[in-house]
């Protein structure tokens, strides 16, 4: 009998074990199959997304139940559940074109015909536009992409305010559906771009914008990966109405301190939603808060009737919440938590970037801003809402070197793409342009490394070695030769004129490849025999329209990357030219030269001032005797607006200041002054030539006016002060002159 029982027990155990293996195997195979299908479908689509939470956090086959305090379970039914059908109906208007991609819903012919030009519809009478949307339209109209002729346009932007599509918002524009459909260029949204910050409303906050967008592209904040149409839509950040239109503040990382840890490890301060969408994560933050180096503070005190809905934790949370200042926390924290709110995006995202506080993203399914081009792994930690409790240990395990790199990248991204409405808009347009002209589109290195995609124009070259910013990345040495470009504005009447002496001094340099004389004089070109014979080619070309800006045109005749820019009355020796060029080879992205000037803020007049006083401080090196990369000719011509260049041409002044503004804005660095050359100023002031700008009494007044106009266009003052001056080794040292390489410089 005992034997039968034992056999029966063994048989039962074996059967149970077999069943367990059978069903477990099925589940395992199904899980593997689904993963293979996900992988293969991603490969078929050929799409590139930012790495999601799965790259950094463990995967689980089924969703984890979110953390919900026990005293809130009974309140979960206070918000009426929304059925899948209701959600589909609510989203039907926005997702009719869900399968749209550039290849299927965009007409490339318009762009290939006239280039990438953007048309903004004229504002309709009686239509109100919020300040944020006015800033977006102003950024487009002030850009090099703008055209007022719709027949020349490749992309169209509505003047109807589409930013706030929350029906409960006072900014909500009613009857937008009929207004958009009545536009004669609408064409079912084809080649249109729609900007949107807020969509949907309480209680479900869907991504519905309230009208049929047809085949239009969306530049949208808080867009989910599920609804984001790759290679068609653009995810933009949520920004406040106070976000600056142009310029914007620089990031707050002032010193690269080692170790890079701040007072707090992880911080957050914000609303706690008691029920509804977005409440799960914020309700669970108190599990992680330790009151010491992890401060995750929430408050129920929002909305008119918050006291009616408060729970047992509200009073305690509110008391803790009031103890800390948000700004103080932000600027003294290493990591900043960026959890979802009602919508996926949050103002804290941009606030953390600017503060050099590494964002810890806690918003599952959010397509991060500009994810098509920005590698967010280099600037943020992408977490998973389901694994909230693991976040402190995860960020504590990040090495200090990595933390410093993350913080540095937050500053680059903030200043390159996010610090103003203009930069957000221009980045959006540049991404779309790259999709259209794929053969010259920017690569990931350009987008994710200084100076960024807005200043590296692929129309100039598709080879990174043609730009001055990537020599080290490519293992290239800076150019070994330069082209001297002499700007001539006075007739050639004597063989003893300064321009001919300058030409000979430049031609004798061992680094000179050729000399170009830009003839901007009203008199005809001198005969060839009037120019001295040199060992390097001398090319004389007439300036286009004989205006000042023509000296910075990207002439095909310039065959070297380095340009030595010279005014005709500049006094330079061959030794000075050689030394300046060798210095430039160590700083190829900057302006390197002799005559220095400075700017200052005049408190009495509340405007910028310009000075040529000799001090240890400078912020500009004038292009009358300076070396720089020829790419700046291209940027000057194609990046700067026509209004600034026409101002320069009308005044016949300030072109050198404008070039300094441009280079400092790109590099975020000051120019380089080489060797004190006091007689440069004295020689220039002594010139008696009628064409000499130094003899004009209005010269300095005009230059001060120029500086303020330039600063207004840039939205900030890009010039940076420096006290560094580079001299030759043993310069002015009391040693034998024979021991010095540049022997003639100190004799000048």
């Amino acid at each position: 009998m005992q034997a039968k029982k034992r056999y029966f027990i063994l048989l039962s155990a074996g059967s149970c074990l077999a069943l367990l293996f059978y069903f477990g195997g099925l589940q395992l195979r199904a899980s593997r199959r689904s993963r293979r299908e996900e992988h293969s479908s991603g490969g078929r689509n050929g799409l590139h997304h930012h790495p999601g939470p799965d790259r950094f956090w463990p995967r689980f086959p089924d969703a984890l139940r979110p953390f919900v305090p026990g005293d809130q379970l009974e309140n979960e039914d206070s918000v009426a559940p929304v059925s899948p059908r209701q959600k589909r109906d609510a989203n039907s208007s926005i997702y009719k074109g869900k399968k749209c991609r550039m290849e299927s819903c965009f007409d490339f012919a318009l762009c290939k015909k006239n280039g990438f030009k953007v048309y903004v519809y004229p504002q309709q009478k009686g239509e109100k536009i919020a300040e944020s949307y006015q800033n977006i339209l102003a950024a487009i109209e002030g850009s090099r992409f703008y055209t007022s002729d719709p027949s020349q346009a490749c992309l169209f932007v509505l003047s109807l305010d589409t930013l706030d599509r929350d029906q409960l918002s006072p900014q909500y524009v009613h009857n937008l559906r009929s207004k958009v459909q009545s536009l004669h260029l609408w064409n079912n949204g084809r080649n249109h771009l729609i900007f949107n910050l807020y969509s949907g409303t309480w209680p479900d906050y869907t991504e519905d914008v309230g009208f049929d967008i047809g085949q239009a592209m969306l530049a949208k904040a808080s867009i989910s990966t599920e609804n984001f149409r790759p290679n068609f839509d653009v995810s933009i950040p949520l920004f406040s109405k106070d976000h600056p239109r142009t310029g914007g503040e620089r990031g707050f990382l002032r010193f690269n301190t080692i170790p890079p840890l701040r007072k707090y490890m992880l911080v957050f301060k914000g609303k706690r939603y008691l029920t509804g969408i977005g409440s799960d994560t914020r309700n669970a933050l108190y599990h992680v808060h330790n009151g010491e180096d992890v401060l995750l503070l929430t408050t129920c005190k929002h909305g008119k009737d918050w006291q009616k809905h408060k729970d047992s934790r509200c009073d305690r949370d509110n008391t803790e919440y009031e103890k800390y200042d948000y700004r103080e926390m932000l600027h003294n924290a290493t990591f900043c938590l960026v959890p979802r709110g009602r919508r996926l995006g949050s103002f804290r995202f941009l606030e953390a970037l600017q503060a050099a506080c590494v964002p810890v993203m806690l918003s599952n399914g959010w397509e991060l801003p500009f994810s098509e081009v920005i590698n967010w792994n280099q600037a943020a930690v992408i977490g998973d809402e389901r694994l909230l409790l693991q976040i402190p240990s995860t960020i504590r395990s990040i090495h200090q070197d990595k933390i410093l790199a993350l913080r540095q990248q937050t500053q680059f991204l903030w200043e390159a793409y996010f610090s103003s409405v203009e930069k957000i808009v221009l980045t959006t347009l540049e991404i779309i342009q790259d999709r259209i002209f794929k053969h010259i589109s920017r690569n990931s290195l350009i987008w994710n490394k200084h100076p960024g995609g807005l200043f590296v124009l692929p129309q100039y070259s598709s080879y990174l070695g043609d730009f001055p910013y990537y020599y080290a990345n490519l293992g290239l040495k800076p150019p070994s030769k330069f082209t001297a470009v002499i700007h001539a504005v006075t007739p050639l009447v004597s063989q003893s004129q300064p321009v001919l002496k300058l030409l000979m001094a430049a031609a004798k340099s061992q680094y000179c490849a050729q000399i170009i004389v830009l003839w901007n004089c009203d008199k005809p070109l001198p005969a060839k025999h009037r120019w001295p014979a040199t060992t390097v080619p001398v090319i004389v070309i007439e300036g286009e329209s004989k205006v000042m800006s023509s000296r910075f045109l990207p002439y095909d005749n310039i065959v070297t990357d380095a340009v030595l820019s010279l005014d005709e009355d500049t006094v330079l020796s061959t030794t000075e030219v050689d030394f300046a060029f060798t210095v430039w080879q160590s700083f190829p992205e900057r302006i390197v030269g002799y005559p220095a000037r400075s700017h200052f803020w005049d408190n009495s007049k509340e405007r910028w001032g310009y000075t040529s006083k000799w001090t240890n401080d400078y912020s500009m090196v004038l292009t009358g005797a300076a070396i720089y990369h020829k790419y700046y000719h291209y940027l000057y011509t194609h990046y700067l607006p026509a209004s600034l260049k026409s101002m320069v041409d009308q005044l016949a002044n300030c072109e050198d200041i404008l070039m300094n503004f441009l280079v400092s804005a790109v590099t975020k660095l000051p120019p380089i002054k080489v060797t004190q050359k006091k007689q440069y100023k004295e020689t220039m002031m002594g010139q008696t030539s009628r064409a000499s700008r130094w003899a004009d009494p209005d010269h300095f007044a005009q230059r001060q006016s120029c500086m303020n106009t330039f600063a207004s266009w840039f939205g900030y003052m890009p010039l940076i002060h420096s006290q560094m001056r580079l001299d030759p080794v043993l310069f002015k040292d009391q040693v034998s002159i024979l021991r010095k390489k540049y022997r003639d410089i100190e004799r000048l």
Side-chain angles (χ1 to χ4, degrees), residues 170-435:
Q171 306 291 343
Y172 183 80
V173 177
H174 294 275
N175 304 319
L176 195 56
R177 187 192 307 266
S178 58
K179 292 174 182 177
V180 169
Q181 294 295 335
S182 65
L183 299 173
H184 69 285
L185 296 172
W186 175 242
N187 190 24
N188 193 33
R190 200 170 181 85
N191 286 52
H192 280 67
L193 176 64
I194 294 170
F195 287 90
N196 176 253
L197 292 182
Y198 306 98
S199 62
T201 189
W202 185 89
D204 51 2
Y205 294 93
T206 66
E207 295 178 40
D208 177 24
V209 294
F211 67 99
D212 182 6
I213 65 169
Q215 297 180 343
M217 289 182 283
L218 274 174
K220 190 177 187 333
S222 304
I223 192 168
S224 65
T225 303
E226 179 186 359
N227 295 319
F228 179 75
R229 296 169 294 180
N231 197 39
F232 195 68
D233 293 332
V234 179
S235 177
I236 63 174
L238 183 65
F239 58 87
S240 70
K241 62 181 180 180
D242 300 321
H243 206 56
R245 185 175 72 83
T246 59
E249 289 186 79
R250 294 195 67 175
F252 297 142
L253 180 62
R254 296 289 181 255
F255 305 103
N256 290 318
T257 53
I258 301 294
L261 302 177
R262 292 173 167 178
K263 180 179 178 182
Y264 306 116
M265 175 59 67
L266 176 68
V267 300
F268 170 76
K269 189 177 183 183
K271 298 175 183 177
R272 177 161 70 89
Y273 307 113
L274 299 177
T275 57
I277 191 169
S279 63
D280 294 340
T281 300
R282 295 199 181 190
N283 274 328
L285 294 182
Y286 80 97
H287 288 290
V288 181
H289 169 80
N290 65 15
E292 296 176 358
D293 65 341
V294 177
L295 300 180
L296 305 182
L297 310 172
T298 58
T299 179
C300 317
K301 197 183 289 186
H302 55 88
K304 295 179 181 178
D305 54 353
W306 68 271
Q307 288 185 321
K308 295 180 182 178
H309 305 289
K310 73 176 187 177
D311 59 18
S312 60
R313 275 187 22 234
C314 279
D315 291 334
R316 184 173 68 253
D317 286 354
N318 291 343
T319 301
E320 188 81 353
Y321 185 88
E322 298 296 336
K323 288 182 183 178
Y324 296 89
D325 178 74
Y326 175 62
R327 292 285 165 189
E328 189 271 336
M329 290 171 56
L330 192 67
H331 296 151
N332 289 282
T334 305
F335 295 92
C336 285
L337 197 67
V338 184
R340 65 161 297 151
R342 293 300 195 193
R343 299 178 178 87
L344 292 171
S346 167
F347 291 131
R348 285 167 187 80
F349 180 67
L350 291 187
E351 291 169 351
L353 280 184
Q354 183 181 14
C357 185
V358 180
V360 178
M361 312 307 303
L362 211 61
S363 184
N364 289 14
W366 180 23
E367 189 74 24
L368 295 183
F370 305 136
S371 56
E372 187 172 331
V373 295
I374 293 178
N375 181 1
W376 284 108
N377 299 337
Q378 297 177 3
V381 177
I382 304 171
D384 189 330
E385 291 176 275
R386 303 170 301 173
L387 302 173
L388 172 65
L389 297 180
Q390 294 186 18
I391 285 181
S393 60
T394 300
I395 61 175
R396 290 184 197 280
S397 68
I398 299 176
H399 195 271
Q400 292 181 0
D401 292 349
K402 177 65 173 176
I403 292 174
L404 181 58
L406 289 168
R407 292 182 63 196
Q408 289 173 333
Q409 191 68 358
T410 64
Q411 301 303 273
F412 160 65
L413 294 176
W414 163 258
E415 293 179 12
Y417 307 120
F418 298 108
S419 62
S420 69
V421 175
E422 180 185 54
K423 288 178 182 176
I424 293 171
V425 170
L426 291 179
T427 304
T428 302
L429 297 180
E430 293 282 10
I431 288 172
I432 295 172
Q433 182 182 218
D434 273 6
R435 294 173 184 169

Side-chain angles (χ1 to χ4, degrees), residues 655-667:
E655 83 288 350
D656 48 358
I657 297 178
L658 183 53
M659 179 60 90
N660 273 271
F661 266 68
L662 176 62
V663 177
S664 290
V666 175
T667 61

Side-chain angles (χ1 to χ4, degrees), residues 121-131 133-134 137 158-162 165 171-180 182-183:
Y121 284 85
Q123 188 173 347
Q124 297 182 13
K125 197 171 183 180
E127 288 290 344
K128 292 183 179 180
I129 300 181
E131 184 179 356
Y133 198 59
Q134 288 177 350
L137 299 184
L158 304 177
S159 63
L160 296 164
D161 191 344
T162 57
R165 301 304 298 154
Q171 306 291 343
Y172 183 80
V173 177
H174 294 275
N175 304 319
L176 195 56
R177 187 192 307 266
S178 58
K179 292 174 182 177
V180 169
S182 65
L183 299 173

Side-chain angles (χ1 to χ4, degrees), residues 524-589:
L525 283 171
K528 286 185 178 181
H529 70 273
R530 300 290 303 278
W531 300 101
T534 60
T535 56
V536 297
V538 176
I539 304 167
V540 183
I541 57 177
E542 285 201 82
E544 191 174 302
S545 305
K546 304 290 174 84
V547 294
M548 295 303 296
S549 291
S550 64
R551 72 182 299 176
F552 295 138
L553 284 172
Y555 293 105
D556 292 336
N557 306 79
I558 301 176
V559 295
T560 62
D561 284 344
V563 173
L564 170 62
S565 177
L566 299 166
D567 285 344
E568 63 177 358
D569 48 6
T570 296
V571 178
L572 276 184
S573 69
T574 301
T575 303
E576 289 173 310
V577 170
D578 285 350
F579 177 65
F581 182 71
T582 58
V583 170
W584 176 85
Q585 288 179 308
S586 297
F587 305 94
E589 75 281 10

